[in-house]
Amino acid sequence: VWAANQPSASDIMLDLEAAGFQDVQSKVQTYPASIKLDRWLDMVQSRFWSTFAKFSDAELEAACDLIREEAQSKTDGDGIVHFEDRLVF
């Protein structure tokens, strides 16, 4: 949901060029990230991204069930989910 509402790197580059910037480039930087699964689920249920505002409590609970299921293979014994995140510069 969040990603679907974000502009692409190429769209941002085009906007910067239209604003007069020259030699606009982008780079994707990946990095290891981790968060306690319970904390992540609490954040989703509390609608920490504004894109979650339109979802009902039941829809967010269903999403959390899906996250819980998909995160099983990436969660360690301390309940921490490990994944690769990325930033576009």
Side-chain angles (χ1 to χ4, degrees), residues 4-77:
N5 291 297
Q6 301 306 306
S8 68
S10 60
D11 286 344
I12 294 170
M13 291 173 62
L14 290 172
D15 288 344
L16 290 169
E17 289 170 347
F21 288 89
Q22 298 176 5
D23 193 27
V24 177
Q25 301 175 27
S26 70
K27 177 184 178 184
V28 176
Q29 181 67 48
T30 61
Y31 62 95
S34 60
I35 187 170
K36 284 189 113 9
L37 179 57
D38 290 342
R39 175 70 179 130
W40 180 250
L41 298 173
D42 287 344
M43 291 169 66
V44 170
Q45 289 177 323
S46 67
R47 296 171 173 84
F48 78 107
W49 277 329
S50 60
T51 53
F52 292 153
K54 64 181 181 176
F55 292 97
S56 69
D57 290 343
E59 289 171 319
L60 289 176
E61 185 59 38
C64 286
D65 290 342
L66 181 61
I67 291 168
R68 207 176 279 109
E69 181 181 316
E70 291 184 3
Q72 282 181 346
S73 65
K74 299 176 183 179
T75 304
D76 67 18

